[in-house]
Amino acid sequence: MPKGFLEIDGIPIVESSVKKLFSAGIEEIIIGTGHCSEWYERLAEKYHCIKLVKNERYADTGSMGTLACCIPHVWSDALILESDLIYDNIGLAVLINDSRKNVILASGKTCSGDEVYLEADTEGFLAAHSKDITKLSSVYGELVGITKLTRPVLDMMSSYCTDQLVSQPKMEYETAMSCVSSTASGIDGKIAIRKIDGYAWREIDDETHLQMAVSQVYPLIKESE
């Protein structure tokens, strides 16, 4: 089954995320599916404002390939979330209320063992990302997996993915974000970084992450909310 259907406190983490988005005022949710898409089909039957878009080439593409399939269905500004996250809903409120059009959420140090580090330029915009801290000139924060983006920036990411399809067929969406933000000629194409120190969240990639999520992070989220 997809990682998003791992349960914490009796609720699949992706369903918990859906409920938080509804509470934040989001009226439509688009989910890009691939492997085991039937799990999401059942979820969409339960929540009728979920729209499913299947990436038929999911085995040959990365997360940017799936996002590119979803972008034509986005009609306004959008929040982009990963499906295997648990997170404090204050992160949604912070991004929604941030006056800047394109903003990526960052946290302080998590010691998770699977960090994606973000580098900011002198004006606080996303310049680069990497799991290898030595490849960055400085570290502004750690990528959470929640971002607010405009449709034009999403289109630029999709175009970059298409242009690099031969050399980077399994591109992750973070790669497209970093490239678009770092090369944008105007402010509208740049992605600001909003950092929340002490932010409670966890991406779940393996059993160790799940144990950390259940025993350490989820209690903090529950207390905060």
Side-chain angles (χ1 to χ4, degrees):
M1 68 181 182
K3 289 184 294 180
F5 288 90
L6 290 169
E7 292 188 3
I8 295 181
D9 207 8
I11 303 175
I13 57 176
V14 69
E15 185 172 357
S16 178
S17 184
V18 165
K19 290 181 177 180
K20 291 184 181 191
L21 289 166
F22 290 156
S23 296
I26 302 301
E27 297 178 350
E28 181 180 13
I29 296 174
I30 301 168
I31 300 180
T33 70
H35 181 59
C36 294
S37 59
E38 64 274 11
W39 287 78
Y40 289 102
E41 290 166 7
R42 290 192 288 269
L43 183 67
E45 290 175 359
K46 186 175 181 179
Y47 300 98
H48 296 293
C49 47
I50 292 178
K51 180 185 182 77
L52 302 181
V53 178
K54 187 173 183 179
N55 176 9
E56 298 292 349
R57 298 185 61 248
Y58 66 84
D60 302 314
T61 57
S63 60
M64 187 59 228
T66 299
L67 180 57
C69 293
C70 297
I71 290 172
H73 302 276
V74 176
W75 54 270
S76 183
D77 298 347
L79 292 173
I80 312 300
L81 289 88
E82 299 178 17
S83 63
D84 54 356
L85 284 178
I86 63 167
Y87 58 90
D88 188 334
N89 60 19
I90 191 65
L92 299 178
V94 165
L95 290 190
I96 290 171
N97 291 300
D98 195 299
S99 61
R100 295 167 295 184
K101 294 181 178 180
N102 298 288
V103 191
I104 185 170
L105 186 63
S107 73
K109 193 173 183 180
T110 63
C111 300
S112 66
D114 191 39
E115 301 91 340
V116 176
Y117 302 103
L118 301 178
E119 178 184 333
D121 64 16
T122 55
E123 296 179 300
F125 293 106
L126 177 64
H129 77 283
S130 181
K131 287 190 173 185
D132 184 352
I133 200 170
T134 64
K135 293 184 178 180
L136 303 178
S137 60
S138 62
V139 174
Y140 190 88
E142 295 182 16
L143 177 126
V144 173
I146 307 175
T147 312
K148 180 177 71 173
L149 297 174
T150 61
R151 173 62 192 266
V153 166
L154 287 168
D155 286 336
M156 285 188 276
M157 290 169 59
S158 184
S159 294
Y160 177 74
C161 178
T162 300
D163 292 342
Q164 301 295 316
L165 193 59
V166 174
S167 60
Q168 300 184 69
K170 295 192 175 184
M171 181 187 295
E172 301 301 325
Y173 81 100
E174 300 97 329
T175 300
M177 283 198 302
S178 292
C179 180
V180 167
S181 182
S182 62
T183 60
S185 56
I187 192 71
D188 289 342
K190 292 185 176 296
I191 302 172
I193 304 177
R194 179 64 182 269
K195 182 179 178 181
I196 304 177
D197 282 308
Y199 185 61
W201 69 281
R202 177 65 261 163
E203 179 185 17
I204 300 172
D205 284 331
D206 56 31
E207 290 86 349
T208 301
H209 293 164
L210 179 58
Q211 184 179 11
M212 183 186 297
V214 172
S215 63
Q216 300 177 29
V217 181
Y218 181 72
L220 294 175
I221 293 172
K222 194 171 183 179
E223 180 181 2
S224 173
E225 295 182 345

